[in-house]
Amino acid sequence: MIFKGNTQDSSKVGGTATHIKVINRPAVSGTHQTFKEQVLGGSEFGRESNLTTLNRDATTPLLQVLGKNGIDYATFAQVANQKTVRVVPVNGATPDAGNYPYKRQLYYAYKNPPSQAVKDFLGYATSS
């Protein structure tokens, strides 16, 4: 697996022979933690020389360091409309498909009883 450092050449995963540059999000990132749990099965990321962990969890700097041979994981909404990257399907499914295997649930938490501002926000957030 690329993110564990086992595969460092893109020819091993169907590409042309190029060294793969892995860009990792910092451990404090929720996306990092979810990827580690769901994709790596709780295992650690590799420590190979081709893996760079960013200091802060921000998409724009991440996209800037990818280059032509970089790979990263991201929240779909962060990269869906980016022109400089492409989303790689997993088992033929893209993140906007119902059968995409990697998803995380996010929740809103609020103190009961909710204030009117909270009610208004929840109404907006759950509307079409």
Side-chain angles (χ1 to χ4, degrees):
M1 160 165 278
I2 294 170
F3 291 93
K4 286 187 178 183
N6 302 341
T7 304
Q8 297 181 25
D9 187 318
S10 58
S11 66
K12 306 285 187 206
V13 290
T16 57
T18 305
H19 188 72
I20 301 171
K21 179 172 53 172
V22 180
I23 308 302
N24 193 13
R25 293 172 180 270
V28 297
S29 163
T31 305
H32 172 103
Q33 293 300 323
T34 300
F35 188 89
K36 183 176 169 182
E37 292 167 16
Q38 292 186 5
V39 179
L40 302 181
S43 296
E44 294 298 322
F45 286 86
R47 299 189 186 277
E48 308 304 320
S49 61
N50 69 318
L51 190 133
T52 301
T53 300
L54 299 178
N55 293 327
R56 60 180 253 250
D57 190 23
T59 302
T60 300
L62 185 148
L63 295 176
Q64 292 169 342
V65 299
L66 279 175
K68 298 218 182 270
N69 61 332
I71 189 168
D72 174 61
Y73 52 93
T75 300
F76 182 58
Q78 294 172 327
V79 296
N81 296 315
Q82 295 291 334
K83 306 257 187 266
T84 61
V85 297
R86 68 183 175 96
V87 174
V88 178
V90 175
N91 299 329
T94 55
D96 54 344
N99 63 337
Y100 190 73
Y102 303 118
K103 295 182 181 188
R104 70 175 167 170
Q105 295 289 335
L106 299 176
Y107 301 91
Y108 292 111
Y110 56 90
K111 186 176 179 180
N112 248 338
S115 68
Q116 187 58 48
V118 169
K119 289 179 186 177
D120 293 344
F121 173 76
L122 292 172
Y124 170 76
T126 59
S127 70
S128 56

